Amino acid sequence: SSGINAEWPLRPGCFIWSDPVILYNVFKALYTRFFFRLHSLSSHPQGILSLCQQFETMLQTHQPQLFYHLREMGSHPLKHAFTWIMHAFAGYLETAQLLLLWDRIIGYNTLEILPVLAVAVFAFRRNNLMEVSTPSEAEAVLQDVSSLKVIPLLQYCLYARILHPV
């Protein structure tokens, strides 16, 4: 359980800015530039629907055994990844890791990092997920991602062999 609520996106900023006016202005800029796309249905390439499609396509293409194993037992991967993506991992990652992720979103000017990280989490937990036989076991494996390190996962996913198993 993540404890997500209305102030989820403000929490990380509290570690950086103590002035609520600055915090509000930074959040407003982030929300109006990026995060609003995660909370409205549209055909935009960085909208929540497209990001979910990207997640499913990447997982199915690069981790087909895992994807079909989960689907076979009735545990749909998107069900687990959707809230991560919709909340930009806020409430799921430690604050320092969340800020590193959001820094990449700002730096690369794209939300497409979110489905990449979601696929990386599945790939990182692949061995455990391949051993489960029920949806509740899969949920237990994926429930707590707070200890994961964003940058090594993204680097391994993008530059190594995690999306391209031998």
Side-chain angles (χ1 to χ4, degrees), residues 86-104:
M86 186 178 82
H87 293 288
F89 283 87
Y92 297 97
L93 296 172
E94 290 180 353
T95 300
Q97 296 302 309
L98 183 64
L99 291 172
L100 288 170
L101 173 63
W102 288 6
D103 184 59
R104 280 13 181 223

Side-chain angles (χ1 to χ4, degrees), residues 35 38 51 55 58 84-89 101-102 105 110-119 154:
F35 299 143
L38 302 174
L51 296 175
F55 165 77
M58 282 189 292
W84 297 339
I85 295 169
M86 186 178 82
H87 293 288
F89 283 87
L101 173 63
W102 288 6
I105 290 171
T110 183
L111 290 168
E112 292 174 349
I113 293 166
L114 298 173
V116 171
L117 181 59
V119 169
L154 287 172

Side-chain angles (χ1 to χ4, degrees), residues 30 42 79 81 109 120 158:
L30 281 171
S42 76
K79 180 183 176 197
N109 196 33
L158 293 170

Side-chain angles (χ1 to χ4, degrees), residues 18-123:
S18 59
D19 182 345
V21 174
I22 294 172
L23 178 62
Y24 172 77
N25 286 326
V26 170
F27 168 71
K28 183 173 76 169
L30 281 171
Y31 193 84
T32 57
R33 175 68 189 106
F34 297 107
F35 299 143
F36 81 95
R37 296 200 185 282
L38 302 174
H39 306 115
S40 60
L41 298 179
S42 76
S43 60
H44 191 277
Q46 296 210 21
I48 188 70
L49 297 175
S50 294
L51 296 175
C52 289
Q53 181 181 22
Q54 290 170 26
F55 165 77
E56 284 195 322
T57 300
M58 282 189 292
L59 189 64
Q60 186 175 6
T61 301
H62 301 293
Q63 296 288 330
Q65 290 175 324
L66 176 59
F67 182 84
Y68 289 111
H69 170 70
L70 292 171
R71 293 286 307 262
E72 271 295 297
M73 67 176 180
S75 179
H76 299 278
L78 184 57
K79 180 183 176 197
H80 303 288
F82 181 79
T83 55
W84 297 339
I85 295 169
M86 186 178 82
H87 293 288
F89 283 87
Y92 297 97
L93 296 172
E94 290 180 353
T95 300
Q97 296 302 309
L98 183 64
L99 291 172
L100 288 170
L101 173 63
W102 288 6
D103 184 59
R104 280 13 181 223
I105 290 171
I106 295 166
Y108 290 109
N109 196 33
T110 183
L111 290 168
E112 292 174 349
I113 293 166
L114 298 173
V116 171
L117 181 59
V119 169
V121 171
F122 275 77

